[in-house]
Amino acid sequence: MYAIVEIAGQQFKVEKGRYIFTNRLEGDSNAELVFDKVLLVDNNGTVTVGAPTVDGAKVKATILEHLKGDKVIVFKKKRRKGYQKSNGHRQYLTKLMISDIVA
């Protein structure tokens, strides 16, 4: 059983017992979150597509930790002009464990 859920403006395919990384969400570690913007539910071959969401479907998740992602290097250069600039950042992420999908 899996579901497509919208979390913070992004869509994720989630399954029970799996981990996902999302952009930083509000809440402490071990906090329980419920997402009700479920767009699709597949229950062993029976697919339910929402218009725009599936009525009564919810995804329950637990916040495991807040962390930072891998460093991304941004390098800009204009040839023959003597211009080059290097910049980088690390994205703030939240690690979630999907605990249940209610359809």
Side-chain angles (χ1 to χ4, degrees), residues 50-62:
T53 60
V54 178
D55 293 332
K58 294 181 182 178
V59 173
K60 296 180 182 177
T62 305

Side-chain angles (χ1 to χ4, degrees), residues 6-98:
E6 183 176 332
I7 301 172
Q10 295 180 326
Q11 296 177 7
F12 295 93
K13 179 182 176 182
V14 296
E15 295 180 36
K16 184 177 178 182
R18 296 281 176 110
Y19 302 106
I20 61 170
F21 293 94
T22 65
N23 286 333
R24 183 66 59 99
L25 299 174
E26 295 292 327
D28 297 329
S29 294
N30 298 324
E32 183 83 14
L33 298 176
V34 177
F35 303 107
D36 56 352
K37 284 192 171 184
V38 179
L39 306 174
L40 180 139
V41 175
D42 182 2
N43 191 357
N44 299 326
T46 305
V47 178
T48 306
V49 179
T53 60
V54 178
D55 293 332
K58 294 181 182 178
V59 173
K60 296 180 182 177
T62 305
I63 295 177
L64 295 180
E65 62 180 327
H66 297 290
L67 57 131
K68 291 172 84 173
D70 294 335
K71 189 165 191 176
V72 178
I73 303 296
V74 180
F75 184 74
K76 298 179 181 180
K77 181 176 181 173
K78 294 186 180 177
R79 63 184 192 153
R80 298 188 302 269
K81 306 297 182 201
Y83 171 79
Q84 65 181 23
K85 185 175 183 178
S86 180
N87 193 359
H89 78 284
R90 294 180 70 187
Q91 191 71 30
Y92 292 107
L93 301 174
T94 299
K95 185 176 181 182
L96 299 174
M97 188 184 82
I98 306 302

